[in-house]
Amino acid sequence: MPPKRKASGETHPHKGKSQSSASQKPQGFKSYTLSHAYRLIEPGPVLLVSTGSLSQSTHNIMTIGFHMVMQHESPPLVGITLGPWDASFATLQKQRECVLAVPSVEIAEKVVDIGNTSAEDSEINKWDRFGLDALPATKVDAPLVGGPHVIANVECVVEDTAMVHKYNMWVLRPVQAWVSASEEEGGRMFHHRGQGIMVADGEVLDFSRRMVKWQEFVD
Ligand SMILES: Cc1cc2nc3c(=O)[nH]c(=O)nc-3n(C[C@H](O)[C@H](O)[C@H](O)COP(=O)(O)O)c2cc1C
């Protein structure tokens, strides 16, 4: 049901807003802490980011929840937020390449633990500590994440660092992508709602036939 409109004296929503009207709650909604707004729209899926070099045994791995697709093609681009609080930051800065791995919900606990452990304060390589399989990538030195509960790996190079200083936002260009042969039909990804609360993918809804305006993006 649409919200009831005032019969008279109604102003344009963006004009002449008084202090009291600005503090009124829109019908059906309650105010939410602005600094927590990311919890409402953090899209996930939670990803693993591998950096460093497998051949030189300097590879590291961490967890991210902040990322976005930026461009389909010409070239494909992905943005990730990865900050100087991560040891991986310096490696990414130096090496300018990484792998984004998509874990399935079966290893969600492990993925959270990886995101709570730093190469800086861990004597043990996180790959060994968490029993991860490092597989050689084809276009970058950072390894792919192997194993039955990894849905995909995307080898990336750094395309643009213009927003790193201000936002810790790296624009990456995928150069090779791999999907697990066994999970192809639907490994369940999981998404971060903030505070360590995750939600796993559920039912798949196929609306591809309604994508009449966007046929070029339907296989
Ligand atoms: C669920 C989850 C999501 C995270 N998301 C991000 C993120 O989007 N960006 C980021 O820089 N760090 C994120 N982190 C923190 C890093 O994974 C964490 O700092 C990690 O210890 C870095 O490892 P490193 O110091 O070995 O590079 C996240 C951690 C968790 C548990």
Side-chain angles (χ1 to χ4, degrees), residues 60 62-66 81-83 85-88 115 117-119 126:
N60 187 24
M62 61 168 276
T63 302
I64 60 164
F66 282 20
T81 300
L82 194 155
W85 53 87
D86 308 308
S88 306
T117 316
S118 176
K126 276 191 262 178

Side-chain angles (χ1 to χ4, degrees), residues 28-94:
F29 293 91
K30 61 180 185 181
S31 179
Y32 189 74
T33 310
L34 199 53
S35 62
H36 292 173
Y38 74 94
R39 295 178 186 169
L40 306 174
I41 56 175
E42 186 175 352
V46 175
L47 300 179
L48 292 168
V49 184
S50 101
T51 51
S53 163
L54 179 59
S55 55
Q56 292 172 22
S57 293
T58 59
H59 49 302
N60 187 24
I61 188 150
M62 61 168 276
T63 302
I64 60 164
F66 282 20
H67 58 82
M68 63 185 290
V69 286
M70 297 178 71
Q71 205 161 279
H72 289 93
E73 55 195 352
S74 309
L77 294 175
V78 176
I80 65 167
T81 300
L82 194 155
W85 53 87
D86 308 308
S88 306
F89 184 89
T91 318
L92 187 58
Q93 210 162 30
K94 187 167 156 225

